[in-house]
Amino acid sequence: MKLIEPTMEYESEIQAFRQEFLSHGGSMDGCGSLRRCDKIQDWIDQVEQLKRIETTPPNLVPMTQYIYVNESDNKVVGVIQIRHFFNDYIEKYAGHIGYSVCPGERRKGYATQMLKAVLPVCKKLGIDNVLICCLKDNEGSRKTIINNGGVYESTVHEPEKSRLIERYWIDLS
């Protein structure tokens, strides 16, 4: 398995990942605008734009996007995003990291591996305490976070979508 920044080299694999989510449903957390982008090049252009504060729209924060690829067949099994710092919404309800695993690849440990692989990148970005949030009823995500050292802080209500969000911290210092 390898964690890499998305490129057009993986266009068909990213499109297959996207299509599986569109067919099976799911929120595609940590995928940015992938759900809305019919053309993978458009998504990759946005991913590049969001890497730098100078090109990040005012309502968003800079972020680094990765795909998690099975090296044997180049299948994209997951997508993960690091938000470099917070705005009000991210601080309360989203955290530094968002991720999704392809519906057909869940319960195989990929989310835990992917999160573990991205934590050193957080450290290099200067993020010593990583906030990760998940829906209260998302047992898989909760286990992924705890398996990577996540310590429960609190549960908050997100009024916009009327859902409960659990907040966890991973200390990298």
Side-chain angles (χ1 to χ4, degrees):
M1 301 301 298
K2 62 182 174 180
L3 188 70
I4 59 169
E5 291 188 40
T7 65
M8 286 302 287
E9 177 184 347
Y10 293 92
E11 177 182 17
S12 62
E13 292 83 0
I14 295 167
Q15 190 63 265
F17 175 90
R18 177 182 179 271
Q19 190 56 50
E20 188 167 334
F21 264 96
L22 294 177
S23 298
H24 290 90
S27 61
M28 292 182 76
D29 297 323
C31 295
S33 63
L34 182 57
R35 177 184 294 282
R36 296 183 307 275
C37 290
D38 292 329
K39 295 178 183 170
I40 298 306
Q41 184 66 60
D42 292 344
W43 180 65
I44 290 174
D45 290 346
Q46 290 175 359
V47 164
E48 284 298 314
Q49 177 187 21
L50 292 170
K51 284 171 48 175
R52 293 173 302 286
I53 195 163
E54 311 82 52
T55 54
T56 298
N59 59 325
L60 299 174
V61 300
M63 54 193 75
T64 305
Q65 188 78 56
Y66 294 95
I67 54 177
Y68 198 54
V69 179
N70 186 331
E71 291 179 270
S72 67
D73 61 4
N74 280 342
K75 181 174 183 175
V76 174
V77 299
V79 174
I80 192 165
Q81 179 184 84
I82 303 170
R83 300 166 195 118
H84 300 185
F85 54 83
F86 298 146
N87 61 23
D88 288 340
Y89 180 87
I90 290 170
E91 183 174 22
K92 292 176 187 170
Y93 308 116
H96 288 104
I97 296 176
Y99 53 86
S100 288
V101 172
C102 199
E105 299 295 333
R106 293 185 180 154
R107 298 180 183 245
K108 297 179 181 179
Y110 291 133
T112 298
Q113 294 169 24
M114 186 169 56
L115 179 55
K116 181 179 181 179
V118 86
L119 290 174
V121 180
C122 293
K123 183 77 172 157
K124 285 181 185 173
L125 288 168
I127 305 169
D128 289 328
N129 289 299
V130 178
L131 175 63
I132 306 178
C133 301
C134 68
L135 293 175
K136 183 173 177 56
D137 62 356
N138 189 336
E139 182 72 22
S141 191
R142 178 183 308 108
K143 286 180 180 178
T144 293
I145 297 165
I146 291 170
N147 286 341
N148 278 283
V151 177
Y152 175 78
E153 178 208 72
S154 63
T155 300
V156 296
H157 179 260
E158 181 191 14
E160 189 177 301
K161 296 182 181 176
S162 190
R163 57 189 188 173
L164 294 174
I165 308 286
E166 292 183 349
R167 297 167 45 91
Y168 292 83
W169 290 92
I170 299 176
D171 184 358
L172 301 178
S173 59

